[in-house]
Amino acid sequence: MFRPQPCSCQRAGERSDRRGPTWSYSTLVHPDRISIREIARRLDISRNTVRRYIRSNAIEPSYSTRRSTSALDPFTPRLSAWLSAEAVKSRKQRRTLKQMFLDLKALGYQGSYDRVAAFGRQWKVGQMERVNSASKSTHARRIPSKLHSIC
């Protein structure tokens, strides 16, 4: 008997918040000649969706990646430069993201502070990853002191 397999990220019978399918597209092949209506009922999806994927012989859906533009995009190189310049200063000498946001507003930025703060957080995470990956690779290549005196 045909039993649809739910995704591993979810228990059977539950439905997600519509961000993606809660079932595998490979379950749409009906070996026991179960009707499309029955498959749709068991998977809790539209009959048209079942029909479309059975006809197309698709294993998994292919979604294009969305890239939406931001009002901050024209200002990201300048903001990155400001953040890298501020990173080398002492804590008391640094400008805050709020001050950088006000400077961007003076330059014509129309967006919100939240976008600037989100960019700052992502930039900081990226910097920390670069520092950590660099320190791991240099630490792994270090020659022990006993061997260093021999060379």
Side-chain angles (χ1 to χ4, degrees), residues 18-121:
R18 295 276 187 193
R19 288 191 191 143
T22 60
W23 41 274
S24 173
Y25 285 95
S26 59
T27 62
L28 295 179
V29 179
H30 46 110
D32 297 329
R33 304 306 285 163
I34 297 174
S35 68
I36 290 175
R37 178 175 284 161
E38 179 64 18
I39 294 171
R41 187 187 64 75
R42 290 181 185 181
L43 295 176
D44 195 24
I45 58 174
S46 168
R47 289 191 315 255
N48 291 337
T49 304
V50 174
R51 189 175 293 116
R52 181 176 57 235
Y53 281 100
I54 288 175
R55 286 181 183 162
S56 70
N57 294 326
I59 305 291
E60 293 291 327
S62 60
Y63 299 111
S64 61
T65 56
R66 258 182 74 188
R67 174 69 181 137
S68 58
T69 59
S70 171
L72 188 61
D73 285 345
F75 300 96
T76 53
R78 180 167 294 181
L79 187 56
S80 295
W82 285 350
L83 287 169
S84 58
E86 297 296 321
V88 296
K89 294 181 181 178
S90 65
R91 186 181 60 86
K92 293 284 189 178
Q93 300 299 318
R94 290 183 194 155
R95 290 187 298 169
T96 63
L97 279 174
K98 188 74 99 172
Q99 292 166 333
M100 290 183 207
F101 167 70
L102 294 174
D103 291 343
L104 285 175
K105 281 286 211 190
L107 292 172
Y109 173 62
Q110 299 286 322
S112 67
Y113 169 73
D114 290 339
R115 289 295 91 216
V116 175
F119 180 83
R121 283 190 301 271

Side-chain angles (χ1 to χ4, degrees), residues 93-149:
Q93 300 299 318
R94 290 183 194 155
R95 290 187 298 169
T96 63
L97 279 174
K98 188 74 99 172
Q99 292 166 333
M100 290 183 207
F101 167 70
L102 294 174
D103 291 343
L104 285 175
K105 281 286 211 190
L107 292 172
Y109 173 62
Q110 299 286 322
S112 67
Y113 169 73
D114 290 339
R115 289 295 91 216
V116 175
F119 180 83
R121 283 190 301 271
Q122 288 178 342
W123 182 88
K124 186 175 180 180
V125 167
Q127 289 298 107
M128 295 301 287
E129 288 174 357
R130 280 189 219 105
V131 168
N132 288 340
S133 67
S135 64
K136 287 178 185 175
S137 63
T138 56
H139 181 67
R141 293 181 190 159
R142 187 181 303 161
I143 299 173
S145 61
K146 292 179 183 177
L147 293 177
H148 191 14
S149 62

